[in-house]
Amino acid sequence: MVTPQTLLPQIFKLSSFQKKVLERMGLKTSYDLLRYFPSRYGSLSPTKSIVLLNVGEEVVLFGKLKNVETKKTFRSKMPISNATLEDTTGEISLVWFNQPYIAKMFGENSLVRVEGKVTDGKKEIYISNPKIEKVGSLPEGVGDSLFGSKDEHSLHPIYSERKSISSNWIYHAIQKILKNIDSNKLEDPIPKEILSKYNLPSLRTALIWIHAPKKQIDADAARKRFAFEEVLYVQLDRAKERFLSNREKSFVINISDKEISSFINTFNFPFTRAQNNALDTILNDLKKGSPMSRLLEGDVGSGKTAVAATASFVAASTHPPGRQSSSLQVAYMAPTEILAGQHFESFIEYFAKYKVNIGLITGSGARKFPSKINKEKSTKISKTQLLKWVANGEIPILIGTHSLIQKTVRFKNLALIIIDEQHRFGVKQRMQLRRKHDLTPHLLSMTATPIPRTLALTIFGDLDLSLLDELPPGRKPVNTRIVLPQEREIVYKELEQILLSGRQAYVICPRVNDPDPDKENTLNAKSVKSEVERLKTKIFKEFKIEGITGKDKPKDKQEKMQRFKNGEIQILVATSVIEVGVNVPNATAILIENAERFGLAQLHQLRGRVLRSSHQAHCFVFTETKSKKTIDRLKSFVSAKNGFELAEADLKERGSGGLSINSRQWGVSDLAMEALRNIKMVEAARLEATLLIQQDFELKKHPELARRVLQRTAVHME
């Protein structure tokens, strides 16, 4: 009898290579394999008679097996299973490479259903590595239109494959486990009352329906159940964070409205309605004495940094209880050294008239503002000295990268943590910075990545949400155009005029290097390397052009970005590495090559690079596709009013793959990400998670659920 914990080598005869591949796939136990769900179902292949087969088509055949045998190749000794499939109209050869179990599982005269691609051999047509399963009887008069979607054979699961682990192997392995598993050991983590409330199938039923469905409705119900389960795990983890946060104490941060207005008036622009609303909410949170946990979401250029700077000013202007000579401290964490340096320079500008010490710490070194020699500038200092001042409370605001998480960084009165581009940091990194203080610091997370509401409710379920959904006055919408191949030269002339007027431009390519032309299925997409050379030698000979990619050394990237910011480079050719990058107001044009290869949300992020000044900005969306669907998708990018609108469109059209979110980092599977299209499911999982944690924080009444949540959290907090 198989249990959920039974190791796969105890059930199947595996080669050492297969064992390694399965481990890399995260498949060690029978339960792991049962949770390896089909990527799709083979219901679209036509059912045909052998006499009607054509080379190259995917088909479903029914027949009787003959001449079943296993041999080994002469040189590599690879096992090959051979058989002949016979129906009333003819015969066709079947061959399976590295699947010796086929001959043992399917004996002579077995009645089977076979699915695969018809291949043209030297002497005859054959089917290589077909999917195969036994059937009780053969249908009569097999033909092109005999079987519809209602037939019990119409849905055949297809699994994502790896070398030596075929979809067919996975299918048969799972069927064997389902037949032999001890049902009493297969505990359902979801409480029965929740299953009943939302009409979800039990664990055992769902496993059968997802791996061996007779109807599409059964497969859909199973996927819905497993999607709900995974979203519930994430929501329980977030509900625990909310519950703990509500019980913790934090500094009360509060200064007069007059002081706040005075600081805001130092900006060279008025706050928008959205900025004022978000700031009011944040300031109210800071007054409560319990830790704020808030996500500030807004498009590039919507003014998030100004809001964060104002919150920082309020914190740095507040004294700890009974210590009028000290001030509370702020930690501002950015994902890259470039961005951290940019925020440091911005804060120097914002705080120029105030006597506030500001520090910068990254992997490259440390700086402090103001300098003793020049009160208007910053100076390099040793990390040791900076950290000493931070520990003494003499540096109210410290800006940095992951360096802020290091054990050597200690604050005396840390009251506010600000995390820029929240999605680029894991849960563990956020908690590391927050959980080592007597009083829990307030948390303000920020992101310019457009996130659909369902995703925000799931991944950032422990955070309250504030939106900046309007741009500052004076900012002109980016002039966005789709450019077809015949219009390329016209756009190059327009860009030349923009560059001659003193402005700068980005050119975005999907690839770093040119693909290997000898490889099959090579994507025909432009690369940074070849585009730099082409633009330099053929198009814009008189301008300085350089390339930057994610594979460049951090020091080289920073140096190129700084030179671009200084105006020494007119055209910066890059991958999407500049999606979160330095602020270059003089860059007012961006050309995006092979735009169809980017998600809508990512295109919007890239377009935001040129939305940094009051000058008219241009975004040229190059595409060579003729697909109406793709053109329509790009048209929605051109016409969308904001990133939130685009993010919802991307989720509907392409699923989670179009979003700039690393689902693996957050512990959300592809199946669960599919569920994020369903706001009702996400809200239901959030509600049930909240109720479960309020009634039973440690989930003692539901031990299997507690174990699964703990297991998921442990994996994704590593």
Side-chain angles (χ1 to χ4, degrees):
M1 188 67 74
V2 175
T3 71
Q5 289 75 41
T6 303
L7 298 175
L8 294 179
Q10 295 176 261
I11 309 172
F12 309 104
K13 188 176 180 180
L14 301 169
S15 68
S16 58
F17 183 72
Q18 283 178 311
K19 288 178 186 177
K20 289 179 182 177
V21 174
L22 286 168
E23 283 192 18
R24 284 200 294 268
M25 294 168 72
L27 306 177
K28 297 179 181 179
T29 67
S30 64
Y31 191 76
D32 292 337
L33 195 55
L34 288 177
R35 299 289 303 215
Y36 192 77
F37 301 137
S39 56
R40 60 189 175 92
Y41 296 95
S43 59
L44 299 179
S45 299
T47 304
K48 302 193 76 169
S49 298
I50 292 174
V51 72
L52 299 174
L53 296 182
N54 297 307
V55 173
E57 63 182 347
E58 295 275 354
V59 296
V60 172
L61 303 173
F62 287 89
K64 183 188 293 185
L65 284 186
K66 294 168 52 182
N67 307 323
V68 184
E69 61 177 354
T70 298
K71 296 179 179 180
K72 288 189 177 180
T73 56
F74 179 73
R75 290 185 178 178
S76 64
K77 303 300 180 184
M78 177 195 292
I80 298 178
S81 295
N82 292 293
T84 301
L85 182 70
E86 177 187 68
D87 70 8
T88 57
T89 69
E91 296 180 347
I92 187 169
S93 295
L94 310 176
V95 58
W96 293 268
F97 296 96
N98 214 12
Q99 298 179 53
Y101 60 88
I102 293 290
K104 295 178 183 178
M105 291 179 66
F106 299 90
E108 201 75 12
N109 297 319
S110 293
L111 303 182
V112 295
R113 173 192 187 275
V114 168
E115 182 176 357
K117 186 176 182 180
V118 181
T119 303
D120 190 8
K122 292 181 180 178
K123 297 181 180 179
E124 59 182 359
I125 61 172
Y126 68 97
I127 300 179
S128 175
N129 292 323
K131 297 168 183 64
I132 182 170
E133 62 177 314
K134 288 183 180 180
V135 295
S137 61
L138 296 179
E140 295 180 11
V142 171
D144 293 349
S145 60
L146 180 62
F147 295 100
S149 60
K150 293 182 180 179
D151 187 84
E152 64 175 308
H153 300 294
S154 65
L155 289 177
H156 191 79
I158 297 173
Y159 300 87
S160 179
E161 299 179 326
R162 300 290 190 277
K163 193 172 182 181
S164 84
I165 303 296
S166 68
S167 173
N168 201 32
W169 184 92
I170 294 168
Y171 170 75
H172 290 297
I174 288 174
Q175 296 306 310
K176 182 176 181 179
I177 291 172
L178 284 173
K179 288 177 183 176
N180 295 287
I181 197 161
D182 185 347
S183 297
N184 295 324
K185 298 288 178 65
L186 201 60
E187 294 181 59
D188 198 327
I190 303 182
K192 288 181 180 178
E193 56 271 23
I194 293 179
L195 291 175
S196 176
K197 184 176 179 179
Y198 297 104
N199 196 28
L200 299 171
S202 67
L203 176 60
R204 181 165 180 79
T205 300
L207 286 170
I208 293 170
W209 282 0
I210 202 165
H211 292 299
K214 290 188 177 181
K215 296 177 289 186
Q216 185 65 50
I217 193 172
D218 292 342
D220 292 342
R223 293 182 76 84
K224 179 182 175 183
R225 177 245 146 80
F226 288 119
F228 178 88
E229 181 183 326
E230 292 204 36
V231 174
L232 180 65
Y233 292 161
V234 181
Q235 292 290 7
L236 283 165
D237 189 41
R238 303 298 183 261
K240 280 191 171 188
E241 288 296 331
R242 288 197 305 272
F243 186 86
L244 289 173
S245 181
N246 290 336
R247 295 171 61 185
E248 292 168 346
K249 300 293 182 184
S250 62
F251 286 107
V252 175
I253 302 177
N254 191 17
I255 62 173
S256 70
D257 292 343
K258 184 178 179 181
E259 290 175 278
I260 296 170
S261 296
S262 175
F263 180 79
I264 291 174
N265 288 336
T266 62
F267 292 108
N268 57 6
F269 52 84
F271 271 23
T272 63
R273 173 197 54 80
Q275 281 178 300
N276 284 319
N277 290 343
L279 183 60
D280 287 345
T281 306
I282 291 167
L283 295 179
N284 285 330
D285 286 347
L286 297 179
K287 295 175 186 176
K288 291 177 181 176
S290 58
M292 170 182 73
S293 295
R294 186 163 292 279
L295 174 65
L296 182 62
E297 184 182 352
D299 282 347
V300 173
S302 61
K304 295 185 301 299
T305 306
V307 172
T310 307
S312 301
F313 170 76
V314 175
S317 302
T318 302
H319 303 292
R323 285 175 279 172
Q324 293 299 309
S325 59
S326 301
S327 64
L328 298 181
Q329 292 173 291
V330 178
Y332 195 127
M333 189 158 72
T336 65
E337 289 195 14
I338 292 173
L339 209 51
Q342 177 180 306
H343 289 316
F344 181 62
E345 294 299 328
S346 296
F347 269 53
I348 289 174
E349 183 183 336
Y350 297 153
F351 288 84
K353 63 176 283 189
Y354 298 92
K355 295 179 180 179
V356 177
N357 291 325
I358 304 171
L360 172 68
I361 184 167
T362 66
S364 300
R367 299 188 71 85
K368 174 188 171 290
F369 171 83
S371 163
K372 285 185 178 179
I373 300 172
N374 187 338
K375 299 294 182 183
E376 295 181 0
K377 291 188 176 181
S378 64
T379 184
K380 280 187 177 181
I381 60 171
S382 71
K383 286 187 181 180
T384 304
Q385 182 60 63
L386 179 64
L387 293 177
K388 182 180 177 182
W389 284 335
V390 171
N392 291 339
E394 296 175 54
I395 303 286
I397 299 174
L398 181 63
I399 298 170
T401 54
H402 295 76
S403 302
L404 290 177
I405 302 170
Q406 294 175 359
K407 291 180 180 179
T408 52
V409 181
R410 294 185 178 87
F411 293 84
K412 188 173 185 179
N413 302 303
L414 183 60
L416 174 62
I417 297 169
I418 299 172
I419 300 180
D420 198 14
E421 290 305 326
Q422 160 70 52
H423 71 278
R424 293 181 178 246
F425 296 99
V427 177
K428 183 179 179 182
Q429 292 167 320
R430 191 209 307 174
M431 291 304 109
Q432 275 182 315
L433 192 55
R434 198 175 192 187
R435 284 274 164 84
K436 57 180 183 179
H437 306 278
D438 295 334
L439 290 176
T440 303
H442 297 281
L443 175 69
L444 177 63
S445 293
M446 303 193 298
T447 182
T449 300
I451 304 172
R453 186 166 169 242
T454 49
L455 194 62
L457 283 174
T458 304
I459 290 177
F460 305 119
D462 57 320
L463 305 177
D464 296 314
L465 186 63
S466 288
L467 300 179
L468 296 184
D469 53 4
E470 57 184 318
L471 294 175
R475 292 276 173 92
K476 300 172 185 175
V478 180
N479 176 20
T480 307
R481 283 161 51 194
I482 298 172
V483 183
L484 300 176
Q486 62 269 26
E487 301 169 308
R488 183 175 286 273
E489 295 305 318
I490 297 171
V491 169
Y492 281 157
K493 288 179 181 177
E494 287 184 41
L495 181 60
E496 183 180 29
Q497 292 305 310
I498 292 170
L499 295 171
L500 288 172
S501 71
R503 306 281 170 238
Q504 294 162 274
Y506 298 98
V507 174
I508 307 301
C509 300
R511 300 187 68 108
V512 175
N513 296 306
D514 288 331
D516 184 346
D518 296 327
K519 281 191 176 181
E520 287 187 39
N521 302 320
T522 297
L523 293 175
N524 183 21
K526 288 187 177 289
S527 71
V528 170
K529 184 178 179 181
S530 61
E531 198 63 7
V532 166
E533 191 61 29
R534 191 179 73 87
L535 294 177
K536 270 184 178 180
T537 58
K538 297 180 179 179
I539 313 297
F540 300 113
K541 299 177 183 178
E542 67 272 38
F543 298 108
K544 179 68 175 175
I545 302 171
E546 290 202 25
I548 183 171
T549 74
K551 291 188 176 182
D552 293 346
K553 293 178 181 178
K555 187 178 178 182
D556 293 340
K557 269 194 290 190
Q558 192 163 4
E559 185 265 335
K560 284 180 186 176
M561 289 300 293
Q562 192 59 49
R563 286 173 52 223
F564 184 60
K565 185 179 181 181
N566 294 343
E568 298 168 33
I569 299 171
Q570 280 75 50
I571 300 176
L572 188 67
V573 184
T575 56
S576 58
V577 67
I578 60 102
E579 183 183 337
V580 176
V582 72
N583 180 4
V584 185
N586 195 50
T588 61
I590 184 166
L591 280 70
I592 304 175
E593 296 282 2
N594 302 110
E596 68 277 4
R597 302 197 183 280
F598 297 94
L600 291 177
Q602 193 173 28
L603 287 171
H604 183 69
Q605 278 280 85
L606 291 168
R607 178 169 58 184
R609 289 296 103 215
V610 295
L611 194 62
R612 290 294 191 174
S613 71
S614 56
H615 299 293
Q616 179 61 61
H618 303 270
C619 176
F620 302 105
V621 183
F622 284 73
T623 182
E624 296 184 10
T625 184
K626 295 179 181 178
S627 162
K628 182 179 183 301
K629 184 178 178 181
T630 303
I631 295 294
D632 287 344
R633 194 171 69 85
L634 292 176
K635 283 180 180 177
S636 70
F637 166 62
V638 171
S639 61
K641 298 182 184 70
N642 55 54
F644 308 113
E645 194 178 297
L646 272 177
E648 297 293 346
D650 220 3
L651 191 62
K652 286 177 184 175
E653 290 181 24
R654 292 177 18 132
S656 60
L659 301 167
S660 303
I661 295 290
N662 185 341
S663 62
R664 186 175 294 246
Q665 178 185 16
W666 299 104
V668 183
S669 71
D670 291 340
L671 180 62
M673 291 294 275
E674 283 180 27
L676 298 182
R677 302 184 195 196
N678 187 340
I679 184 68
K680 289 184 178 179
M681 179 184 288
V682 171
E683 289 177 336
R686 183 180 171 92
L687 171 64
E688 297 303 331
T690 302
L691 292 173
L692 283 167
I693 295 302
Q694 286 176 349
Q695 295 164 7
D696 179 16
F697 179 77
E698 295 182 359
L699 299 174
K700 290 181 179 179
K701 295 177 183 176
H702 308 286
E704 181 64 14
L705 182 59
R707 191 173 74 82
R708 293 291 172 192
V709 173
L710 186 64
Q711 184 182 55
R712 193 210 71 84
T713 305
V715 168
H716 296 284
M717 287 282 280
E718 288 177 355

